Amino acid sequence: MAARDGDGWVECACGNKHWGLNGAAGIMIVRGHEILLQHRAPWVHNGDTWGIPGGARDSHETTIEGAFREAIEETGIDTDLLTPLHTFTDDHGDWKYETVIAQAATGLVAHEVNDESHEVRWVDIEKVDELPLHPSFAKSWPELMKLLNNFIGPR
Ligand SMILES: [Zn+2]
């Protein structure tokens, strides 16, 4: 039950090393036709790329609790203004990354608050793949975009 007991690397059957002994959770915050992306600092793993706020899940946390905690730590948002819509799981067998898709209420403000995050920005869903994306996020993005389009209305 210790805080941050999920911190650590997993040697995964897919051939990669992943962060998060209990898997990891991230949050994709949607506002209109935009999502909140975070520019990761150059010195972190797969740094200088864009992705969603997220990180290792602690053993006592639900996916949504883990994703919300990371969102607060990395972007300073008020998670009372978020409504979870859906959880997408990228399951590697030995490890998984769960992405919580959440709707932002009016008034939600995000800003970079820690060293791991360079900048946060609302990015139009159509323009996401123009950015240099974190490799794992890039892999899941086509499926995530399809899911998102189910939740957001036409332009
Ligand atoms: Zn893997």
Side-chain angles (χ1 to χ4, degrees):
M1 286 284 291
R4 314 323 301 265
D5 69 356
D7 284 1
W9 293 98
V10 172
E11 294 277 356
C12 183
C14 76
N16 291 314
K17 251 183 9 171
H18 305 297
W19 182 251
L21 299 175
N22 310 300
I27 186 148
M28 176 176 284
I29 302 170
V30 192
R31 184 184 77 177
H33 292 91
E34 297 173 319
I35 59 169
L36 187 72
L37 288 183
Q38 175 189 36
H39 190 205
R40 298 156 58 85
W43 57 85
V44 302
H45 187 60
N46 290 313
D48 210 12
T49 57
W50 290 83
I52 55 173
R57 187 173 62 77
D58 289 343
S59 61
H60 56 92
E61 285 178 322
T62 66
T63 301
I64 288 174
E65 285 168 349
F68 276 19
R69 173 179 51 73
E70 292 287 344
I72 295 166
E73 287 174 9
E74 297 182 359
T75 66
I77 60 168
D78 178 358
T79 52
D80 287 345
L81 297 175
L82 294 179
T83 306
L85 301 172
H86 184 82
T87 300
F88 170 79
T89 303
D90 181 17
D91 195 343
H92 294 207
D94 293 341
W95 185 83
K96 63 182 174 177
Y97 193 101
E98 291 173 289
T99 302
V100 176
I101 300 173
Q103 180 82 51
T106 318
L108 182 118
V109 178
H111 42 85
E112 58 273 43
V113 292
N114 75 8
D115 288 350
E116 292 169 32
S117 178
H118 247 183
E119 181 191 353
V120 287
R121 192 192 290 175
W122 293 99
V123 180
D124 190 295
I125 289 165
E126 304 277 317
K127 300 214 160 102
V128 168
D129 55 13
E130 293 173 12
L131 293 166
L133 299 178
H134 183 277
S136 307
F137 179 65
K139 193 172 137 269
S140 295
W141 174 241
E143 277 184 84
L144 287 167
M145 190 167 78
K146 269 187 228 157
L147 281 169
L148 277 174
N149 282 323
N150 295 333
F151 294 114
I152 59 179
R155 284 171 193 261

